[in-house]
Amino acid sequence: MSDGIMSKAATMEIPISSNGDTGSLPEDDGLEQDLQQVMVSGPNLNETSIVSGGYGGTAEGIIPTSTIKGSGLHQPHPSPAVGGEEVVRGIAVEKFDIVKKWGINTYKCTKQLISERFGRGSRTVDLELETQIELLRETKRKYECVLQLARALTNHFYSLVQTQHALGDAFADLSQKSPELQEEFGYNAETQKLLCKNGETLLGAVNFFVSSINTLVNKTMEDTLMTVKQYETARLEYDAYRTDLEELSMGPRDASTLCRLDTAQSQFQSHKDKYEKLRADVAIKLKFLEENKIKVMHKQLLLFHNAISAYFAGNQQQLEQTLKQFNIKLKTPGAEKPSWLEEQ
Protein backbone atom coordinates (compact mmCIF):
# COMPACT_ATOMS: atom_id res chain seq x y z
CA MET A 1 0.00 0.00 0.00
CA SER A 2 1.45 3.38 -0.97
CA ASP A 3 1.86 6.35 1.30
CA GLY A 4 -0.97 8.13 -0.54
CA ILE A 5 -3.82 6.60 1.47
CA MET A 6 -4.61 9.88 3.16
CA SER A 7 -3.55 12.20 0.34
CA LYS A 8 -7.15 13.07 -0.54
CA ALA A 9 -8.30 13.61 3.01
CA ALA A 10 -8.91 17.19 3.99
CA THR A 11 -7.76 16.56 7.52
CA MET A 12 -4.49 15.91 9.24
CA GLU A 13 -3.37 13.09 11.49
CA ILE A 14 -2.04 14.29 14.81
CA PRO A 15 0.01 11.79 16.83
CA ILE A 16 -0.94 11.74 20.49
CA SER A 17 2.09 11.83 22.74
CA SER A 18 2.00 10.29 26.21
CA ASN A 19 3.20 12.51 29.01
CA GLY A 20 4.57 9.47 30.81
CA ASP A 21 1.89 9.50 33.49
CA THR A 22 -0.59 6.86 32.43
CA GLY A 23 -1.43 5.65 35.89
CA SER A 24 -4.50 7.85 36.18
CA LEU A 25 -5.81 7.23 32.68
CA PRO A 26 -7.90 4.12 33.46
CA GLU A 27 -9.85 6.27 35.91
CA ASP A 28 -10.55 8.94 33.31
CA ASP A 29 -14.30 9.56 33.29
CA GLY A 30 -14.11 10.67 29.66
CA LEU A 31 -12.55 7.36 28.61
CA GLU A 32 -15.23 5.40 30.46
CA GLN A 33 -17.99 7.46 28.86
CA ASP A 34 -16.49 7.04 25.40
CA LEU A 35 -16.17 3.30 25.87
CA GLN A 36 -19.82 3.16 26.91
CA GLN A 37 -20.69 5.16 23.78
CA VAL A 38 -18.84 2.64 21.61
CA MET A 39 -20.64 -0.29 23.23
CA VAL A 40 -24.11 1.22 23.51
CA SER A 41 -25.34 0.40 20.00
CA GLY A 42 -25.59 -3.35 19.74
CA PRO A 43 -26.43 -5.30 16.59
CA ASN A 44 -30.05 -5.23 15.45
CA LEU A 45 -31.19 -8.83 15.32
CA ASN A 46 -34.88 -8.08 14.85
CA GLU A 47 -34.78 -7.06 11.20
CA THR A 48 -33.19 -10.19 9.81
CA SER A 49 -34.24 -11.78 6.55
CA ILE A 50 -33.06 -15.18 5.33
CA VAL A 51 -32.53 -16.43 1.82
CA SER A 52 -33.68 -19.86 0.66
CA GLY A 53 -30.82 -22.29 0.35
CA GLY A 54 -28.26 -19.95 1.99
CA TYR A 55 -27.01 -16.74 0.36
CA GLY A 56 -27.32 -17.92 -3.21
CA GLY A 57 -31.10 -17.61 -3.52
CA THR A 58 -33.18 -15.07 -5.33
CA ALA A 59 -35.13 -12.12 -3.99
CA GLU A 60 -38.29 -14.21 -4.07
CA GLY A 61 -36.78 -16.53 -1.49
CA ILE A 62 -36.46 -13.87 1.23
CA ILE A 63 -38.55 -14.57 4.32
CA PRO A 64 -38.79 -11.82 6.98
CA THR A 65 -38.25 -13.19 10.49
CA SER A 66 -41.22 -11.13 11.69
CA THR A 67 -43.45 -13.67 9.97
CA ILE A 68 -41.85 -16.56 11.85
CA LYS A 69 -43.25 -16.77 15.37
CA GLY A 70 -43.03 -19.40 18.05
CA SER A 71 -43.33 -22.88 16.64
CA GLY A 72 -43.73 -21.42 13.16
CA LEU A 73 -40.11 -22.28 12.58
CA HIS A 74 -41.21 -25.90 12.13
CA GLN A 75 -43.76 -25.67 9.36
CA PRO A 76 -46.19 -28.60 9.21
CA HIS A 77 -46.06 -28.66 5.42
CA PRO A 78 -42.66 -27.28 4.34
CA SER A 79 -42.28 -26.52 0.68
CA PRO A 80 -39.51 -28.24 -1.27
CA ALA A 81 -37.67 -24.90 -1.57
CA VAL A 82 -37.66 -24.00 2.10
CA GLY A 83 -37.61 -26.57 4.89
CA GLY A 84 -37.81 -25.91 8.61
CA GLU A 85 -34.15 -26.77 9.20
CA GLU A 86 -33.02 -24.51 6.35
CA VAL A 87 -35.02 -21.62 7.81
CA VAL A 88 -33.43 -22.05 11.23
CA ARG A 89 -29.98 -22.45 9.71
CA GLY A 90 -30.41 -19.33 7.55
CA ILE A 91 -31.53 -17.23 10.50
CA ALA A 92 -28.66 -18.47 12.67
CA VAL A 93 -26.06 -17.81 9.98
CA GLU A 94 -27.30 -14.32 9.25
CA LYS A 95 -27.59 -13.30 12.88
CA PHE A 96 -24.16 -14.70 13.60
CA ASP A 97 -22.80 -12.63 10.72
CA ILE A 98 -24.44 -9.48 12.13
CA VAL A 99 -23.03 -10.10 15.61
CA LYS A 100 -19.62 -10.88 14.16
CA LYS A 101 -19.47 -7.64 12.15
CA TRP A 102 -20.67 -5.61 15.14
CA GLY A 103 -18.11 -7.28 17.40
CA ILE A 104 -15.23 -6.65 15.01
CA ASN A 105 -16.23 -3.00 14.58
CA THR A 106 -16.60 -2.51 18.34
CA TYR A 107 -13.23 -4.15 18.97
CA LYS A 108 -11.46 -1.96 16.42
CA CYS A 109 -13.06 1.23 17.76
CA THR A 110 -12.33 0.34 21.38
CA LYS A 111 -8.73 -0.45 20.50
CA GLN A 112 -8.40 2.86 18.64
CA LEU A 113 -9.97 4.83 21.50
CA ILE A 114 -7.71 3.31 24.14
CA SER A 115 -4.70 3.80 21.87
CA GLU A 116 -5.55 7.50 21.52
CA ARG A 117 -6.09 7.97 25.25
CA PHE A 118 -2.83 6.28 26.18
CA GLY A 119 -0.84 8.25 23.61
CA ARG A 120 0.14 5.28 21.48
CA GLY A 121 -1.84 6.15 18.36
CA SER A 122 -2.91 9.01 16.14
CA ARG A 123 -6.24 10.58 15.42
CA THR A 124 -7.51 12.61 12.48
CA VAL A 125 -8.18 16.19 13.48
CA ASP A 126 -9.99 18.94 11.62
CA LEU A 127 -8.73 21.83 13.72
CA GLU A 128 -11.13 24.45 12.37
CA LEU A 129 -14.21 22.25 12.70
CA GLU A 130 -13.35 20.99 16.18
CA THR A 131 -12.74 24.55 17.34
CA GLN A 132 -16.22 25.48 16.10
CA ILE A 133 -17.73 22.43 17.84
CA GLU A 134 -16.10 23.30 21.16
CA LEU A 135 -17.27 26.88 20.79
CA LEU A 136 -20.83 25.63 20.22
CA ARG A 137 -20.72 23.49 23.36
CA GLU A 138 -19.41 26.41 25.39
CA THR A 139 -22.06 28.74 23.91
CA LYS A 140 -24.78 26.22 24.74
CA ARG A 141 -23.60 26.03 28.38
CA LYS A 142 -23.69 29.81 28.68
CA TYR A 143 -27.11 30.09 27.05
CA GLU A 144 -28.42 27.38 29.39
CA CYS A 145 -27.26 29.56 32.28
CA VAL A 146 -29.08 32.58 30.83
CA LEU A 147 -32.19 30.44 30.33
CA GLN A 148 -32.07 29.22 33.93
CA LEU A 149 -31.72 32.76 35.27
CA ALA A 150 -34.49 34.10 33.02
CA ARG A 151 -36.82 31.37 34.27
CA ALA A 152 -35.92 32.22 37.86
CA LEU A 153 -36.62 35.90 37.14
CA THR A 154 -40.01 34.95 35.66
CA ASN A 155 -40.97 32.87 38.69
CA HIS A 156 -39.91 35.56 41.18
CA PHE A 157 -41.65 38.29 39.24
CA TYR A 158 -44.80 36.19 38.88
CA SER A 159 -44.89 35.88 42.68
CA LEU A 160 -44.38 39.65 43.01
CA VAL A 161 -47.29 40.42 40.69
CA GLN A 162 -49.55 38.01 42.58
CA THR A 163 -48.60 39.76 45.83
CA GLN A 164 -49.30 43.18 44.33
CA HIS A 165 -52.69 41.95 43.14
CA ALA A 166 -53.59 40.70 46.62
CA LEU A 167 -52.29 43.88 48.25
CA GLY A 168 -54.33 46.04 45.89
CA ASP A 169 -57.47 44.08 46.80
CA ALA A 170 -56.71 44.52 50.51
CA PHE A 171 -56.21 48.29 50.10
CA ALA A 172 -59.46 48.59 48.10
CA ASP A 173 -61.38 46.71 50.80
CA LEU A 174 -59.97 48.90 53.57
CA SER A 175 -60.73 52.02 51.56
CA GLN A 176 -64.43 51.15 51.66
CA LYS A 177 -64.39 50.25 55.34
CA SER A 178 -62.19 53.06 56.67
CA PRO A 179 -63.89 56.44 55.96
CA GLU A 180 -61.12 58.39 57.71
CA LEU A 181 -58.44 56.80 55.44
CA GLN A 182 -60.52 56.18 52.37
CA GLU A 183 -58.48 58.43 50.09
CA GLU A 184 -55.09 57.10 51.25
CA PHE A 185 -56.12 53.45 50.90
CA GLY A 186 -57.79 54.28 47.59
CA TYR A 187 -54.78 55.70 45.76
CA ASN A 188 -52.54 52.88 47.11
CA ALA A 189 -55.06 50.37 45.75
CA GLU A 190 -54.96 52.05 42.33
CA THR A 191 -51.18 52.11 42.32
CA GLN A 192 -50.94 48.37 43.06
CA LYS A 193 -53.50 47.58 40.36
CA LEU A 194 -51.52 49.59 37.83
CA LEU A 195 -48.27 47.88 38.84
CA CYS A 196 -50.00 44.53 38.56
CA LYS A 197 -51.27 45.33 35.06
CA ASN A 198 -47.82 46.46 33.91
CA GLY A 199 -46.28 43.41 35.58
CA GLU A 200 -48.54 41.10 33.57
CA THR A 201 -47.44 42.87 30.42
CA LEU A 202 -43.77 42.48 31.34
CA LEU A 203 -44.34 38.79 32.14
CA GLY A 204 -45.66 38.30 28.62
CA ALA A 205 -42.46 39.76 27.17
CA VAL A 206 -40.14 37.80 29.46
CA ASN A 207 -41.97 34.55 28.75
CA PHE A 208 -41.63 35.17 25.03
CA PHE A 209 -37.90 35.65 25.62
CA VAL A 210 -37.67 32.42 27.69
CA SER A 211 -39.63 30.39 25.13
CA SER A 212 -37.42 31.54 22.25
CA ILE A 213 -34.14 30.87 24.11
CA ASN A 214 -35.42 27.45 25.15
CA THR A 215 -36.15 26.56 21.51
CA LEU A 216 -32.73 27.78 20.41
CA VAL A 217 -30.86 25.86 23.13
CA ASN A 218 -32.82 22.64 23.51
CA LYS A 219 -33.96 22.12 19.93
CA THR A 220 -31.78 23.97 17.42
CA MET A 221 -28.43 23.62 19.20
CA GLU A 222 -29.22 20.12 20.44
CA ASP A 223 -30.07 18.97 16.92
CA THR A 224 -26.69 20.18 15.68
CA LEU A 225 -24.90 18.48 18.58
CA MET A 226 -26.62 15.18 17.75
CA THR A 227 -25.07 15.39 14.28
CA VAL A 228 -21.75 16.25 15.94
CA LYS A 229 -21.95 13.03 18.01
CA GLN A 230 -22.55 11.02 14.85
CA TYR A 231 -19.57 12.76 13.26
CA GLU A 232 -17.32 11.99 16.24
CA THR A 233 -18.32 8.32 16.14
CA ALA A 234 -17.61 8.21 12.39
CA ARG A 235 -14.22 9.84 13.01
CA LEU A 236 -13.32 7.14 15.54
CA GLU A 237 -14.38 4.36 13.14
CA TYR A 238 -12.48 6.02 10.29
CA ASP A 239 -9.26 6.16 12.30
CA ALA A 240 -9.75 2.61 13.57
CA TYR A 241 -9.99 1.21 10.04
CA ARG A 242 -7.22 3.50 8.82
CA THR A 243 -4.92 2.14 11.52
CA ASP A 244 -5.93 -1.42 10.64
CA LEU A 245 -5.15 -0.80 6.97
CA GLU A 246 -1.78 0.77 7.78
CA GLU A 247 -0.79 -2.18 9.99
CA LEU A 248 -1.73 -4.69 7.28
CA SER A 249 0.17 -2.66 4.67
CA MET A 250 3.38 -3.05 6.66
CA GLY A 251 3.01 -6.84 6.93
CA PRO A 252 4.03 -9.65 4.57
CA ARG A 253 2.46 -9.81 1.11
CA ASP A 254 1.36 -13.43 0.82
CA ALA A 255 -1.94 -14.49 -0.76
CA SER A 256 -3.83 -14.48 2.53
CA THR A 257 -2.58 -11.02 3.51
CA LEU A 258 -3.40 -9.56 0.09
CA CYS A 259 -6.98 -10.78 0.44
CA ARG A 260 -7.27 -9.23 3.89
CA LEU A 261 -5.65 -6.07 2.54
CA ASP A 262 -8.28 -5.74 -0.18
CA THR A 263 -11.04 -6.17 2.41
CA ALA A 264 -9.40 -3.63 4.73
CA GLN A 265 -9.05 -1.15 1.86
CA SER A 266 -12.74 -1.51 1.01
CA GLN A 267 -13.81 -1.08 4.65
CA PHE A 268 -11.50 1.89 5.06
CA GLN A 269 -12.96 3.62 2.00
CA SER A 270 -16.50 3.02 3.24
CA HIS A 271 -15.77 4.57 6.63
CA LYS A 272 -13.83 7.40 5.01
CA ASP A 273 -16.85 8.29 2.86
CA LYS A 274 -19.14 8.20 5.89
CA TYR A 275 -16.74 10.36 7.91
CA GLU A 276 -16.36 12.96 5.18
CA LYS A 277 -20.12 13.16 4.61
CA LEU A 278 -20.82 13.73 8.31
CA ARG A 279 -17.99 16.25 8.50
CA ALA A 280 -19.63 18.21 5.68
CA ASP A 281 -23.04 17.89 7.38
CA VAL A 282 -21.65 19.27 10.65
CA ALA A 283 -19.96 22.19 8.88
CA ILE A 284 -23.22 23.14 7.15
CA LYS A 285 -25.29 22.84 10.33
CA LEU A 286 -22.80 24.93 12.30
CA LYS A 287 -22.96 27.65 9.65
CA PHE A 288 -26.77 27.80 9.60
CA LEU A 289 -26.94 27.57 13.39
CA GLU A 290 -24.67 30.59 13.78
CA GLU A 291 -26.80 32.61 11.36
CA ASN A 292 -30.00 31.57 13.11
CA LYS A 293 -28.57 32.29 16.56
CA ILE A 294 -27.62 35.84 15.60
CA LYS A 295 -31.04 36.48 14.09
CA VAL A 296 -32.96 35.09 17.07
CA MET A 297 -30.81 36.71 19.75
CA HIS A 298 -30.85 40.12 18.05
CA LYS A 299 -34.64 40.13 18.27
CA GLN A 300 -34.92 38.64 21.76
CA LEU A 301 -32.28 40.84 23.39
CA LEU A 302 -33.93 43.95 21.94
CA LEU A 303 -37.30 42.79 23.28
CA PHE A 304 -35.91 42.01 26.73
CA HIS A 305 -34.10 45.35 27.02
CA ASN A 306 -37.03 47.49 25.85
CA ALA A 307 -39.58 45.70 28.02
CA ILE A 308 -37.49 45.78 31.20
CA SER A 309 -36.49 49.42 30.67
CA ALA A 310 -40.07 50.55 30.00
CA TYR A 311 -41.45 48.71 33.04
CA PHE A 312 -38.95 50.04 35.57
CA ALA A 313 -39.20 53.54 34.08
CA GLY A 314 -42.94 53.38 34.67
CA ASN A 315 -43.62 53.95 30.98
CA GLN A 316 -46.81 51.97 30.44
CA GLN A 317 -47.30 53.17 26.87
CA GLN A 318 -43.77 52.15 25.82
CA LEU A 319 -44.19 48.77 27.51
CA GLU A 320 -47.39 48.02 25.61
CA GLN A 321 -45.84 49.27 22.38
CA THR A 322 -42.93 46.84 22.85
CA LEU A 323 -45.31 43.88 22.95
CA LYS A 324 -47.12 45.11 19.84
CA GLN A 325 -43.79 45.49 18.06
CA PHE A 326 -42.96 41.83 18.64
CA ASN A 327 -46.53 40.57 18.05
CA ILE A 328 -46.96 39.30 21.61
CA LYS A 329 -50.58 38.90 22.66
CA LEU A 330 -51.72 38.44 26.26
CA LYS A 331 -54.85 36.86 27.66
CA THR A 332 -57.85 39.00 28.40
CA PRO A 333 -57.17 41.41 31.30
CA GLY A 334 -58.87 40.65 34.58
CA ALA A 335 -57.82 37.01 34.83
CA GLU A 336 -57.33 35.69 38.34
CA LYS A 337 -53.63 35.06 37.74
CA PRO A 338 -51.12 37.19 35.83
CA SER A 339 -51.21 36.39 32.12
CA TRP A 340 -48.67 34.17 30.49
CA LEU A 341 -47.60 34.09 26.87
CA GLU A 342 -50.55 32.98 24.78
CA GLU A 343 -49.26 33.07 21.24
CA GLN A 344 -46.27 34.32 19.32
Side-chain angles (χ1 to χ4, degrees):
M1 184 63 59
S2 67
D3 296 332
I5 294 175
M6 295 294 295
S7 61
K8 295 182 180 180
T11 54
M12 57 184 293
E13 294 172 28
I14 296 185
I16 302 172
S17 302
S18 173
N19 59 8
D21 180 15
T22 59
S24 62
L25 285 173
E27 300 178 2
D28 183 4
D29 291 339
L31 176 58
E32 181 178 351
Q33 293 173 2
D34 288 340
L35 285 172
Q36 290 175 350
Q37 181 68 24
V38 170
M39 297 296 294
V40 71
S41 300
N44 186 352
L45 303 181
N46 296 322
E47 299 180 358
T48 309
S49 61
I50 58 96
V51 179
S52 173
Y55 292 102
T58 62
E60 288 78 6
I62 297 177
I63 303 176
T65 56
S66 59
T67 64
I68 304 172
K69 299 180 180 178
S71 59
L73 294 176
H74 302 283
Q75 300 179 25
H77 303 289
S79 64
V82 182
E85 292 182 0
E86 291 178 339
V87 171
V88 174
R89 187 182 304 112
I91 294 173
V93 168
E94 186 161 353
K95 288 190 175 183
F96 174 77
D97 187 55
I98 293 172
V99 173
K100 180 181 177 182
K101 290 179 180 179
W102 174 79
I104 292 173
N105 185 73
T106 301
Y107 167 75
K108 291 181 184 295
C109 291
T110 303
K111 178 183 175 183
Q112 175 67 24
L113 180 63
I114 294 175
S115 178
E116 291 176 7
R117 290 301 177 91
F118 280 82
R120 293 195 295 267
S122 64
R123 65 185 294 263
T124 302
V125 177
D126 187 320
L127 292 175
E128 181 180 359
L129 190 62
E130 295 199 9
T131 299
Q132 293 176 359
I133 290 171
E134 184 54 37
L135 179 61
L136 170 58
R137 289 187 168 126
E138 180 64 22
T139 300
K140 185 171 183 287
R141 285 191 291 268
K142 291 179 178 179
Y143 276 44
E144 285 172 338
C145 181
V146 170
L147 180 59
Q148 181 182 8
L149 292 172
R151 282 174 170 160
L153 175 65
T154 302
N155 291 332
H156 294 320
F157 198 76
Y158 176 75
S159 297
L160 172 63
V161 172
Q162 281 189 308
T163 302
Q164 290 174 329
H165 189 277
L167 187 57
D169 288 344
F171 282 151
D173 181 63
L174 286 168
S175 175
Q176 295 177 357
K177 297 177 181 179
S178 305
E180 68 282 3
L181 294 172
Q182 181 178 9
E183 184 178 350
E184 289 82 352
F185 277 126
Y187 58 66
N188 272 282
E190 290 300 320
T191 298
Q192 292 303 318
K193 288 181 180 179
L194 178 61
L195 288 173
C196 185
K197 181 178 183 297
N198 290 345
E200 289 186 359
T201 306
L202 179 60
L203 274 173
V206 175
N207 272 285
F208 186 83
F209 176 84
V210 169
S211 176
S212 299
I213 302 304
N214 179 65
T215 299
L216 177 64
V217 171
N218 292 313
K219 291 184 179 179
T220 311
M221 289 185 178
E222 187 60 31
D223 175 72
T224 301
L225 287 174
M226 287 298 294
T227 305
V228 167
K229 290 178 182 178
Q230 295 172 0
Y231 157 75
E232 290 173 339
T233 298
R235 195 284 306 165
L236 181 64
E237 291 176 341
Y238 166 71
D239 278 335
Y241 283 88
R242 173 185 57 79
T243 300
D244 187 51
L245 178 60
E246 290 173 350
E247 290 175 353
L248 283 173
S249 299
M250 293 184 292
R253 297 302 182 93
D254 53 36
S256 175
T257 303
L258 288 175
C259 181
R260 292 172 57 198
L261 199 57
D262 288 341
T263 300
Q265 176 65 48
S266 175
Q267 292 174 335
F268 163 77
Q269 188 62 46
S270 174
H271 286 284
K272 177 184 177 184
D273 294 342
K274 178 182 177 182
Y275 163 72
E276 291 182 343
K277 179 183 182 303
L278 281 167
R279 184 181 62 189
D281 289 346
V282 169
I284 291 172
K285 284 200 171 188
L286 286 172
K287 179 178 181 293
F288 283 116
L289 174 61
E290 183 64 19
E291 294 174 355
N292 186 52
K293 183 192 72 175
I294 293 173
K295 180 180 178 181
V296 169
M297 292 308 298
H298 174 78
K299 176 180 179 179
Q300 294 305 317
L301 291 172
L302 183 62
L303 162 68
F304 192 83
H305 172 271
N306 290 353
I308 291 286
S309 298
Y311 174 83
F312 284 99
N315 191 334
Q316 180 181 358
Q317 182 179 359
Q318 181 61 42
L319 182 59
E320 293 176 350
Q321 183 61 36
T322 298
L323 266 69
K324 290 180 182 179
Q325 178 184 354
F326 291 93
N327 298 317
I328 302 173
K329 297 179 182 180
L330 301 178
K331 293 181 180 179
T332 305
E336 292 184 0
K337 296 181 179 180
S339 302
W340 292 86
L341 176 66
E342 184 172 39
E343 60 181 280
Q344 297 182 8

